[in-house]
Amino acid sequence: MKITKDEKAMLEGRDGEAVKLAMEILTEVGEAFGAEELVDASSAHIVLAMYKSIYDAGVEVCEKFAAMGGKFKVTTTLDPCGMDTERPDYFKTPREYQDKQNRVGEAYRKMGAIPVWTCTPHFAGNLPRFGEHVGWTESSAVAFINSALGARSNRETAGIDVCIGLTGKTPKYGLHLDENRRAQALLRLELGGRKLERWEYPVLGYFLGKTLGSEVGVLDGMAGLPGNDDLKAMLAGAAASGPLALLHVAGVTPEAPTVEKALGGNKPGRTVVIDQSVMDQCYAELSTAGRDRKVDLVAVGCPHYSVGEIERVLALMKGRRVAKGVEFWIYANRPTVEMAERMGLRRELSELGVTVTLETCMLISPIDAWNFKTLMTDSSKCAFYAPIQVRCDVLFGSIEDCVERAISG
Ligand code: F3S
């Protein structure tokens, strides 16, 4: 791999031990993936952040980098925390777990990370532009910035993300290269020209992820322009059910004003038709329990909810209260929650029994002590992972369905 003078100096320890180690790791990764060079990464987003999935080894890694004097050279944000950052005791987070999670937070504080603890950092101060190279983990965020914004990131892995933040460099392979961003498969939406309902975006995403695997696809036939929340839900589902990191949506993705442009002048390797029967089948697959099952947790905000989505929940509640024996949790990041607080939404929701939970989520915080049997969600990503991560049955539905079930149980 070609190394610049500046990169060589980092490898030789000019910028300290942490940067030296990070550069050694990045050059090894680059060699392994056949990268010819490193490229400047203007930001990093770190998934090596939640104790529930990084365990003691992950705590040691971030503490080691901090102890070596590591300081992030570029804007670096953190994925959700492994517990509610405001009321961990209320959510029954074990004390020993809290201590370890706090050690992670302290290590990153010393290194200069922005502790925004969110899976939607692009809506919270870390916004890459079209064509910008970055090094992010968090599959849903990577899929969003590649597909909706036209920024360039591979689905990095935990630990590599820290190295990218410390050096401001990332190996140039995969989705950093033009040739790997061209669509290979064409996905044709054939739903009679109708616009998708909000709840259908995550269903479609679930199908796209499991169908495309690691192929880049271009989706054609979407009526109307999807909003940010629609794309967020669709791409999170797609990045959960498969290794997807980039999907061209014709007329939406900056690199895909047309299908032809997304395909780069080539013919598609295959064409997949998505009709109503496909959507119905996927909708059914996202639930592991029958519709008549009693629900004891309604959990939404995967990925983290926006202010608009929180407002919508309040409107749908129509002054009614959550049923006894049911928890209704909304997950969001701190800037969103602060805005919801200023608008009075959080207090009004709390009075109706809906809890706005801060900077974590149902999958990466330990909620076993609650012993939930059936979780209902409007997120296909959550529905995909919850049977394993929360060890409970799942019902997938629209936010309207989720609210009605929270009220009726
Ligand atoms: Fe975010 Fe947790 Fe879902 S990290 S994307 S809310 S699984």
Side-chain angles (χ1 to χ4, degrees), residues 47 50 79-81 118-120 138-141 232 236 300-305 331-332 360-365 379 381-382 385 389:
V47 83
M50 61 287 278
D79 220 35
C81 185
T118 185
C119 46
T120 56
E138 176 48 60
S139 61
S140 59
K232 177 181 72 174
V300 300
C302 171
H304 279 168
Y305 253 14
Y331 293 93
T360 184
C361 84
M362 63 297 256
L363 300 183
I364 53 119
S365 55
S379 157
K381 175 171 181 174
C382 173
Y385 285 126
Q389 299 269 74

Side-chain angles (χ1 to χ4, degrees), residues 3 9 12 41 45 57 62 79 100 142 172 212 215 217 269 321 352:
I3 296 285
E12 289 169 354
H45 181 69
C62 32
D79 220 35
K100 290 185 171 166
V142 171
K172 194 174 181 187
L212 282 166
E215 259 182 316
R321 281 196 62 80
L352 302 175

Side-chain angles (χ1 to χ4, degrees), residues 274-293:
I274 306 164
D275 59 15
Q276 193 58 51
S277 67
V278 170
M279 295 295 283
D280 293 345
Q281 173 67 27
C282 289
Y283 177 78
E285 283 176 21
L286 285 168
S287 295
T288 62
R291 293 271 143 198
D292 52 352
R293 174 76 74 83

Side-chain angles (χ1 to χ4, degrees), residues 47-55 97 364 389:
V47 83
L48 192 85
M50 61 287 278
Y51 182 69
K52 189 176 173 192
S53 57
I54 67 172
Y55 305 101
Y97 179 106
I364 53 119
Q389 299 269 74

Side-chain angles (χ1 to χ4, degrees), residues 314-343:
L314 182 61
L316 291 168
M317 290 296 292
K318 297 188 189 124
R320 299 169 294 171
R321 281 196 62 80
V322 173
K324 207 160 174 285
V326 179
E327 294 291 326
F328 188 170
W329 295 345
I330 297 176
Y331 293 93
N333 60 40
R334 190 176 285 271
T336 301
V337 173
E338 285 185 1
M339 209 50 70
E341 245 162 30
R342 280 192 191 182
M343 295 167 76

Side-chain angles (χ1 to χ4, degrees), residues 119-139:
C119 46
T120 56
H122 37 289
F123 296 135
N126 188 358
L127 179 68
R129 295 200 319 268
F130 176 62
E132 206 167 331
H133 296 276
V134 301
W136 286 28
T137 34
E138 176 48 60
S139 61

